[in-house]
Amino acid sequence: MKIKKFGWLLAVFSILMIVTACSGGSGEGDNTSEGTDTAISTDGELHYASNVQPPTLDPLMSNAIVTREVASVIYESLVAFNENFEPVPMLAESIDVSEDGKTYTFNLRQGVLFHNGEEMKAEDVVASMERWKEKSSSARAVLTEPQFAEVDEYTVTMTLAEPTTLALGAIANTSHLAAIMPKEIVESAPESGVEEFIGTGPFKFVEWKQDQYLHFTRFDEYAALDTPASGLSGKKEALVKDVYFDIVIDPSTQLSGLQTGEYDIAGGIIQDDLAQLEANPDLEYITPFDANYTLLFNRKEGAFQSKELRQAVAYALDLDALAAVAAVDNYEITPSQLPKQNAVWATDAGSEFHNQKDLEKAKQLVEQSGYNGETLNILTTRDYPQMYNEAVYVKEQLAQIGINVELLVYDWATALSEVRNSPQDWNIFTTSFPSTPSPVELLYYAESYFDGAETDTQKELLAKIKSAPTTEEAKQYWEELQTHSIEDVKLITTFAANKISAYTTDVKGYKYFEVPLFYNVSVSE
């Protein structure tokens, strides 16, 4: 088998690196708390306040953002994104790729221990990756018939039926993380997910007190890389002994806990509390990208099977006004379905169909659609105030063009269940989507999602993106697809929201990159 080194893939992603550099970095989430402090204890505790409890610690059983946050504390994968969103070796020492792009050879790092003291070997990687390919939405979207095989104790191959430049990015994705676990844990996992949480990361799982906290402690035998820390890759040091992921649902309680020193970092500060935060000299904050807030149309049943009626909604909305109501000031209006931090894929393609604010045109489209005055339902939740607020605004705006709307308000879990199980009850769903490594991994294009790619045009362009020999060519197809989706009103990206992650000035080295990073972080006493 002819092989070529991993360098050709880095060359593909070098374009991304250049673009990112030109755009001024990978975003506010890369902000770092830096400084010197003489009273740092390596035996200390770090308390992180989260407003959401994870549904599971098995990263393959949920794509919830909070699950990827806690999973990234415990687990590592073969590759990880550096700060330029390049997938680089993590548990792999090096990667060789065959000339035809169909075979990847992962040469594993030797001496990497699991939290149970056993060394990671090829059989563990094969078992983990075989499970990942079955459960990961990225694997299903990007890889064609992947097969993993053990060559020897420290070498694993992945063979594909069709080549794609997106393969390593899919493996590096923090959603449905390709976590490497001991073979026996993978193979004994029931359908509900693994029951032991053992990885190779710098912190190991200790306990989970439901509705209270998750506790992790330093893994003293952690095998750190000696390359500079970058994104999710490079050297990781556990500079505190214990990390507590405290469940603190109320944002005001998070802020008061920061002020009293009960928490070191709070991940759920809301915009209304920003003035208090900024007035306190002992607190700092960063604003990493959170998600694209979105109106998803039910195109399977009901009135929005009409393209004209969907377009009427798009023309009726003033997204600047909507976002101001829903997210206060912490947002950006953009047609891009991937955030600007993902510099290689972010694009304004289709902007001519986005945020038109034309009520007269909207009324014409309503008339053309044949809408009969029936009441349409917006499915939403108060669990995420931004979603509820935008639902209220949309209802008011659509009344101006003669569309009657009622709100269906549920808790988030019930709302998600309604989307799949009761499509006859709703017409618009307020939701949000985090960033993904590539467009083909966006959840709403997945066949397993509510509707997936509905039209032949969307399916053809997704296939072209996946098989394009270069990133430049893939980007052209993606711009076509985004334009088509906006014009066809598959959904409406209402605004890109940032989150506020605050910390005390005793915390040094804190970063947020896809997830909050607890390694390389110290806390002064």
Side-chain angles (χ1 to χ4, degrees):
M1 177 180 65
K2 292 182 178 180
I3 60 174
K4 46 190 175 182
K5 290 292 182 182
F6 182 55
W8 77 272
L9 282 167
L10 287 179
V12 169
F13 282 91
S14 65
I15 296 166
L16 166 60
M17 183 166 58
I18 293 168
V19 173
T20 301
C22 292
S23 63
S26 55
E28 293 89 343
D30 279 346
N31 291 354
T32 305
S33 58
E34 294 178 338
T36 59
D37 198 302
T38 57
I40 294 174
S41 171
T42 56
D43 291 326
E45 296 178 355
L46 187 150
H47 285 263
Y48 176 86
S50 170
N51 60 340
V52 183
Q53 179 161 238
T56 174
L57 301 190
D58 184 340
L60 295 184
M61 300 308 298
S62 172
N63 59 13
I65 292 174
V66 66
T67 291
R68 37 181 116 167
E69 290 180 343
V70 293
S72 296
V73 179
I74 307 169
Y75 302 109
E76 295 176 314
S77 52
L78 292 172
V79 295
F81 285 117
N82 67 16
E83 63 187 12
N84 296 314
F85 279 93
E86 298 165 324
V88 298
M90 188 68 220
L91 291 177
E93 179 78 35
S94 62
I95 304 165
D96 299 325
V97 185
S98 62
E99 288 289 346
D100 63 5
K102 295 182 179 180
T103 301
Y104 290 68
T105 301
F106 298 93
N107 305 296
L108 305 181
R109 291 166 56 201
Q110 298 187 25
V112 174
L113 300 182
F114 286 114
H115 299 154
N116 62 5
E118 299 295 324
E119 186 182 14
M120 179 195 70
K121 298 283 185 64
E123 62 179 9
D124 304 304
V125 173
V126 171
S128 298
M129 297 305 290
E130 283 290 320
R131 181 170 182 257
W132 171 78
K133 79 177 188 184
E134 297 296 330
K135 297 186 177 297
S136 163
S137 54
S138 280
R140 292 193 297 269
V142 171
L143 306 180
T144 304
E145 301 177 20
Q147 298 293 328
F148 294 89
E150 176 181 347
V151 177
D152 58 40
E153 280 194 331
Y154 299 103
T155 309
V156 171
T157 59
M158 174 180 72
T159 56
L160 306 175
E162 301 293 337
T164 175
T165 58
L166 308 178
L168 293 182
I171 296 174
N173 194 357
T174 55
S175 177
H176 286 157
L177 181 70
I180 303 303
M181 307 177 187
K183 176 185 177 184
E184 62 272 19
I185 290 179
V186 173
E187 293 183 343
S188 64
E191 282 301 311
S192 56
V194 298
E195 296 179 329
E196 292 183 82
F197 311 113
I198 295 178
T200 60
F203 293 98
K204 58 184 180 181
F205 173 76
V206 177
E207 68 173 335
W208 182 358
K209 289 281 190 183
Q210 286 284 339
D211 302 318
Q212 298 182 48
Y213 64 81
L214 294 97
H215 177 200
F216 309 92
T217 195
R218 181 167 54 219
F219 179 44
D220 290 326
E221 288 74 42
Y222 176 67
L225 288 168
D226 57 6
T227 54
S230 176
L232 297 166
S233 67
K235 188 174 184 179
K236 301 177 182 178
E237 289 187 279
L239 298 180
V240 295
K241 184 175 184 299
D242 294 290
V243 171
Y244 287 87
F245 200 93
D246 296 307
I247 310 303
V248 187
I249 296 174
D250 180 33
S252 297
T253 304
Q254 290 196 19
L255 179 60
S256 62
L258 273 181
Q259 293 169 328
T260 62
E262 183 176 2
Y263 311 121
D264 301 295
I265 306 170
I269 300 297
I270 60 175
Q271 188 75 24
D272 290 348
D273 291 333
L274 190 56
Q276 287 189 66
L277 188 64
E278 292 178 329
N280 190 326
D282 296 325
L283 301 179
E284 298 180 8
Y285 68 94
I286 55 178
T287 55
F289 172 75
D290 182 11
N292 275 344
Y293 280 72
T294 303
L295 301 178
L296 182 71
F297 290 89
N298 184 347
R299 301 166 49 129
K300 288 185 175 179
E301 300 185 30
F304 285 121
Q305 291 179 299
S306 163
K307 177 179 176 179
E308 287 80 10
L309 195 61
R310 298 194 304 272
Q311 290 179 324
V313 176
Y315 273 95
L317 297 182
D318 179 341
L319 298 184
D320 297 272
L322 180 154
V325 171
V328 195
D329 294 321
N330 196 19
Y331 67 90
E332 179 180 359
I333 302 298
T334 172
S336 184
Q337 295 179 358
L338 284 165
K340 65 180 181 182
Q341 288 82 1
N342 193 336
V344 74
W345 298 111
T347 174
D348 289 334
S351 60
E352 64 270 29
F353 303 113
H354 188 252
N355 198 21
Q356 294 303 297
K357 311 176 190 177
D358 187 340
L359 285 178
E360 292 307 313
K361 176 71 173 178
K363 290 176 182 175
Q364 294 173 16
L365 287 163
V366 170
E367 188 172 342
Q368 293 172 17
S369 74
Y371 170 65
N372 62 9
E374 66 190 286
T375 298
L376 305 182
N377 294 320
I378 299 179
L379 177 61
T380 189
T381 180
R382 292 181 188 272
D383 289 0
Y384 293 94
Q386 298 95 327
M387 294 182 189
Y388 179 76
N389 292 340
E390 72 174 347
V392 171
Y393 178 85
V394 171
K395 177 182 177 181
E396 294 173 353
Q397 287 296 104
L398 296 193
Q400 294 188 40
I401 60 171
I403 297 179
N404 300 312
V405 172
E406 295 293 336
L407 303 187
L408 296 178
V409 185
Y410 296 106
D411 64 83
W412 183 236
T414 302
L416 290 174
S417 176
E418 286 289 300
V419 170
R420 292 183 180 278
N421 300 323
S422 304
Q424 71 281 2
D425 292 340
W426 63 274
N427 302 97
I428 297 176
F429 175 43
T430 62
T431 185
S432 66
F433 295 97
S435 181
T436 57
S438 72
V440 301
E441 293 159 84
L442 284 166
L443 191 59
Y444 44 78
Y445 289 122
E447 292 183 4
S448 58
Y449 195 61
F450 171 67
D451 50 3
E454 307 99 333
T455 68
D456 289 342
T457 300
Q458 291 175 6
K459 293 174 183 176
E460 289 169 5
L461 288 170
L462 284 169
K464 287 181 177 179
I465 294 169
K466 193 166 75 169
S467 62
T470 67
T471 304
E472 296 94 327
E473 185 174 330
K475 180 70 174 289
Q476 294 175 13
Y477 297 134
W478 166 231
E479 290 179 342
E480 287 184 44
L481 176 54
Q482 180 171 293
T483 300
H484 175 272
S485 295
I486 295 174
E487 190 275 336
D488 194 57
V489 200
K490 174 179 175 59
L491 45 82
I492 297 175
T493 301
T494 50
F495 56 92
N498 299 319
K499 64 176 67 180
I500 302 172
S501 188
Y503 51 91
T504 74
T505 52
D506 290 335
V507 174
K508 308 299 179 189
Y510 174 58
K511 289 185 176 183
Y512 190 104
F513 187 88
E514 300 273 283
V515 295
L517 306 182
F518 301 125
Y519 50 81
N520 304 337
V521 177
S522 63
V523 181
S524 303
E525 294 184 336

